[in-house]
Amino acid sequence: MANENSMASNEAEIRKVIDDWATAFRAKDVDRIMSFYTPDVVAFDIVPPLQYRGAQAYMQDWAQMLAMCDGPIGLEMYELTVTAGDEAGFCHCLNHFTGKQTNGKEIDLWLRATVCYRKINGRWLAAHEHVSVPIDMESGKALLDLRP
């Protein structure tokens, strides 16, 4: 069982992983992004299908998404909360993405994210990721421009 010192250390380690992941994302470095996931990651993203099973499937999602972006991508994380024991941890936050698509359309959207981490061979890796957007219950359409 984790004590307060190890919990604080583990939380700091996960925050470092999150910062490094964000740097890889902003650089549009798919290989580096994927280095933060377990091989058997399960991910729920905002684009179909309902789930991605395994790093190979999720890597294709990342590659397609990043290929649609022209120029730099902005990422700001808000209300990041991290909790960790000795073998598992999780975070949740609100993410604001900005940039431009290759078709010239501006990107400016907010997403919710929860990531579950496992410590494997001394390294924190994302084993499950859930990204979502709120929807309008009457229309069924995503609400991508809400602000916290």
Side-chain angles (χ1 to χ4, degrees), residues 36-49:
F36 297 101
Y37 295 95
T38 62
D40 61 346
V41 63
V42 174
F44 302 150
D45 202 352
I46 62 170
V47 295

Side-chain angles (χ1 to χ4, degrees), residues 95-131:
N95 294 321
H96 183 213
F97 292 101
T98 56
K100 186 166 64 169
Q101 293 180 348
T102 54
N103 65 7
K105 184 177 177 182
E106 293 293 322
I107 302 167
D108 184 358
L109 62 115
W110 286 85
L111 306 170
R112 304 173 291 198
T114 301
V115 184
C116 303
Y117 295 91
R118 289 190 345 230
K119 196 169 198 177
I120 301 172
N121 297 324
R123 189 163 175 244
W124 289 103
L125 296 172
H128 177 74
E129 185 167 84
H130 189 128
V131 179

Side-chain angles (χ1 to χ4, degrees), residues 12-43 54-55 58-59 62 75 77 89 91 115-120 122-129:
E13 288 174 18
I14 290 175
R15 284 182 183 276
K16 173 75 168 107
V17 167
I18 293 166
D19 287 344
D20 291 347
W21 175 91
T23 298
F25 173 80
R26 289 182 191 107
K28 299 191 274 187
D29 185 341
V30 176
D31 291 329
R32 181 81 176 127
I33 289 168
M34 293 310 301
S35 73
F36 297 101
Y37 295 95
T38 62
D40 61 346
V41 63
V42 174
Y58 204 31
M59 179 183 236
W62 276 111
L75 167 63
M77 292 182 186
C91 75
V115 184
C116 303
Y117 295 91
R118 289 190 345 230
K119 196 169 198 177
I120 301 172
R123 189 163 175 244
W124 289 103
L125 296 172
H128 177 74
E129 185 167 84

Side-chain angles (χ1 to χ4, degrees), residues 51-96:
Q51 66 181 337
Y52 293 88
R53 288 193 168 275
Q56 275 306 116
Y58 204 31
M59 179 183 236
Q60 291 173 8
D61 176 48
W62 276 111
Q64 288 174 358
M65 191 280 284
L66 293 172
M68 293 173 50
C69 297
D70 184 27
I73 300 174
L75 167 63
E76 303 270 340
M77 292 182 186
Y78 295 87
E79 300 179 30
L80 176 64
T81 301
V82 177
T83 303
D86 288 331
E87 297 178 15
F90 70 92
C91 75
H92 57 84
C93 61
L94 301 173
N95 294 321
H96 183 213

